[in-house]
Amino acid sequence: MTRTTTAGTTDGGGRAVPQRLLAAATRLFADQGYDRTSVQEIVEAAGVTKGALYHYFGSKDDLLHEVYARVLRLQQERLDALADSDAPVERRLRDAAADVVVTTIENLDDTKIFFRSMHHLAPEKDKQVRAERRRYHERFRALVEEGQRTGVFSAATPADLVVDYHFGSVHHLSSWYRPDGPLRPQQVAEHLADLLMRALRP
């Protein structure tokens, strides 16, 4: 488990050392790949010592885990808030479907790094991440199942396949989305959410 914390030594601009390390690692992993990035390069880019890195992170592997885990934590918090709201289930699902697209695009480097390098994770961390992703998918699937159970959504397609359909599109974003392209994140999110809702129309 990572030992990150938002407290601790900061630089002159007030940025905590863990944040500087994560920013440097993310930039280097995205530019040259996880396996081609050394711990020395990370600490030099962050302007800290190896001792500082090992104080907050047990290894380079911990940094890789945290790059993705921080995005997943954000997405889980947002999904939980949407799912727990009093809005009709079709609104909750559509908002959740759009939100995961926007948050993925806004953290595209993190997502790209992880899916490209997740095979480097130690078995324990790999298992932890898979469990965290499963919890997210299960909460999302519960919205689909609620709508199918109440007749709001078609039950012709199993909820698991509906979830795979949407998240297949989300996981593919890093292979084609470009910030300088014609579509803004919210536009992509609206299109993909609309596709999902049309697929569930009774």
Side-chain angles (χ1 to χ4, degrees), residues 3-11 14-20 52 55-56:
R3 292 176 288 179
T4 54
T5 174
T6 54
T9 306
T10 59
D11 62 16
R15 294 182 70 198
V17 169
Q19 295 171 340
R20 290 161 58 190
H55 176 72
Y56 293 104

Side-chain angles (χ1 to χ4, degrees), residues 25 28-29 32-44 50 53 60 63:
L28 288 166
F29 292 166
Q32 60 193 40
Y34 171 83
D35 54 339
R36 292 188 295 276
T37 300
S38 69
V39 168
Q40 186 60 40
E41 288 175 304
I42 294 170
V43 298
E44 287 178 358
K50 282 187 179 179
L53 185 149
K60 190 175 76 162
L63 277 166

Side-chain angles (χ1 to χ4, degrees), residues 73 83 118 153 163:
R73 283 195 300 270
M118 65 182 295
F153 302 147
V163 174

Side-chain angles (χ1 to χ4, degrees), residues 155-171:
T157 304
D160 280 336
L161 287 180
V162 173
V163 174
D164 287 344
Y165 166 77
H166 187 65
F167 283 94
S169 299
V170 173
H171 295 161

Side-chain angles (χ1 to χ4, degrees), residues 137-156:
H137 285 204
E138 287 174 351
R139 191 77 203 269
F140 192 94
R141 186 185 65 208
L143 289 173
V144 176
E145 291 173 334
E146 179 185 341
Q148 290 179 329
R149 189 171 58 250
T150 56
V152 176
F153 302 147
S154 168

Side-chain angles (χ1 to χ4, degrees), residues 4-116:
T4 54
T5 174
T6 54
T9 306
T10 59
D11 62 16
R15 294 182 70 198
V17 169
Q19 295 171 340
R20 290 161 58 190
L21 285 163
L22 277 169
T26 300
R27 185 171 64 253
L28 288 166
F29 292 166
D31 289 347
Q32 60 193 40
Y34 171 83
D35 54 339
R36 292 188 295 276
T37 300
S38 69
V39 168
Q40 186 60 40
E41 288 175 304
I42 294 170
V43 298
E44 287 178 358
V48 302
T49 64
K50 282 187 179 179
L53 185 149
Y54 292 125
H55 176 72
Y56 293 104
F57 301 93
S59 64
K60 190 175 76 162
D61 180 67
D62 281 345
L63 277 166
L64 175 62
H65 175 264
E66 183 61 18
V67 163
Y68 185 64
R70 60 183 174 179
V71 179
L72 192 53
R73 283 195 300 270
L74 168 69
Q75 291 176 331
Q76 186 70 60
E77 289 170 5
R78 292 169 69 100
L79 174 59
D80 287 342
L82 290 168
D84 289 337
S85 77
D86 295 327
V89 66
E90 58 267 38
R91 170 51 56 187
R92 284 180 281 142
L93 179 63
R94 192 185 188 286
D95 286 350
D99 183 74
V100 71
V101 174
V102 171
T103 52
T104 296
I105 291 176
E106 289 177 345
N107 298 278
L108 209 55
D109 274 349
D110 298 42
T111 307
K112 185 187 301 182
I113 288 165
F114 188 79
F115 283 111
R116 188 172 61 193

